[in-house]
Amino acid sequence: MMWHSGKMLWISTNFCCFLLFMFITTASSLYFHIGETEKKCFIEEIPDDTMVVANYKVQVYDQQSNTYLPTQGRLGMFVEVKDPESKMVLSRTYAAEGRFTFTSHTAGEHSICLHSNSTAWFGGGQLRVHLDIQVGEHANDYQQIATKDKLTELQLRVRQLLDQVDQIQKEQNYQRTREERFRQTSESTNQRVLWWSLVQTLVLVVTGFWQMRHLKSFFEAKKLV
């Protein structure tokens, strides 16, 4: 009976972890405020060979109405994406509202930076930027895929599950890579600490030996020994 309860607890725990993972990797939706000449950057951990789709909308603050309104085509958004090796993945100017996509080729932290293409010399106006980042299978438009490939509802669901499994496998591979990198860093740090301890011990021994020789010479010179 205890074995059965333990097994059910293990299954429940793993299922909750799976749901938590699916919730976390679904999307990152937010909005933020920046000046016309300011830049805002985000760090997104992305597995390799993963598609990222980001939808955005820029609004400008209107003092008369005390609210944020559409830019009416007056401003655009410059998007810059760099991979973990600081190589440029995407660098392009877009309209005030739209979407941008890119595919990661290296697993790790990707830098996503946005700023307006304003030519104002000083601070300019205040902007509100709505940003919705979708990673992996969540970036796919399954309704469009179903229409294009003429898939039934069951076939579409199977396609979604296969994409989810593929994304989970990529995430697991990325986590293994991070774990291996962390292990190597820990071993390197431990090795350096060991060598530093040995060097300190050697310095103490040499210093003590030198002090003893110096004291002995001092006492002999004073004819105390």
Side-chain angles (χ1 to χ4, degrees):
M1 188 66 180
M2 292 181 61
W3 177 83
H4 180 72
S5 300
K7 183 178 180 181
M8 291 300 295
L9 179 61
W10 182 84
I11 295 175
S12 177
T13 302
N14 283 271
F15 182 70
C16 290
C17 292
F18 172 77
L19 291 179
L20 179 62
F21 169 79
M22 296 304 298
F23 174 76
I24 292 175
T25 57
T26 298
S28 301
S29 180
L30 53 89
Y31 75 85
F32 55 91
H33 298 100
I34 58 173
E36 286 190 17
T37 58
E38 294 181 11
K39 177 189 287 189
K40 189 74 171 181
C41 293
F42 300 90
I43 301 297
E44 190 78 21
E45 290 190 353
I46 307 173
D48 61 337
D49 194 24
T50 300
M51 185 175 68
V52 179
V53 176
N55 297 282
Y56 69 92
K57 180 176 65 174
V58 181
Q59 296 175 311
V60 63
Y61 180 73
D62 182 64
Q63 294 182 351
Q64 295 181 354
S65 60
N66 193 27
T67 186
Y68 288 89
L69 301 175
T71 62
Q72 304 295 336
R74 184 169 62 88
L75 293 174
M77 184 60 62
F78 182 77
V79 181
E80 186 178 82
V81 180
K82 293 183 180 180
D83 66 5
E85 299 175 354
S86 297
K87 295 181 180 179
M88 193 67 65
V89 178
L90 176 66
S91 179
R92 183 179 172 184
T93 301
Y94 294 86
E97 182 176 357
R99 64 188 296 180
F100 61 89
T101 64
F102 66 92
T103 301
S104 63
H105 301 288
T106 304
E109 296 182 346
H110 287 66
S111 172
I112 304 175
C113 297
L114 303 95
H115 64 87
S116 71
N117 60 350
S118 173
T119 57
W121 286 93
F122 300 101
Q126 187 78 5
L127 304 178
R128 172 183 287 177
V129 181
H130 298 262
L131 183 63
D132 180 16
I133 301 176
Q134 299 180 344
V135 181
E137 81 280 359
H138 304 287
N140 296 328
D141 187 351
Y142 286 103
Q143 294 299 328
Q144 183 178 2
I145 293 175
T147 303
K148 180 180 178 181
D149 297 341
K150 298 180 180 180
L151 301 177
T152 63
E153 184 177 354
L154 178 59
Q155 291 174 329
L156 180 62
R157 185 56 183 165
V158 171
R159 173 73 176 270
Q160 290 177 325
L161 291 175
L162 290 176
D163 290 342
Q164 289 176 1
V165 170
D166 182 61
Q167 184 63 29
I168 291 174
Q169 185 177 6
K170 291 179 181 178
E171 183 69 25
Q172 288 178 337
N173 292 335
Y174 172 57
Q175 295 300 332
R176 291 193 191 98
T177 303
R178 289 187 60 188
E179 182 181 356
E180 178 66 20
R181 190 184 303 121
F182 179 76
R183 185 183 63 82
Q184 292 176 355
T185 303
S186 299
E187 290 180 353
S188 176
T189 303
N190 291 335
Q191 188 175 12
R192 291 179 181 180
V193 170
L194 175 62
W195 280 109
W196 176 246
S197 300
L198 292 176
V199 170
Q200 283 184 318
T201 303
L202 180 62
V203 169
L204 290 175
V205 171
V206 172
T207 302
F209 180 75
W210 178 80
Q211 288 179 340
M212 291 178 61
R213 290 289 304 272
H214 180 71
L215 289 174
K216 182 179 180 182
S217 300
F218 174 78
F219 290 146
E220 289 177 348
K222 296 295 182 179
K223 298 181 179 180
L224 298 176
V225 294

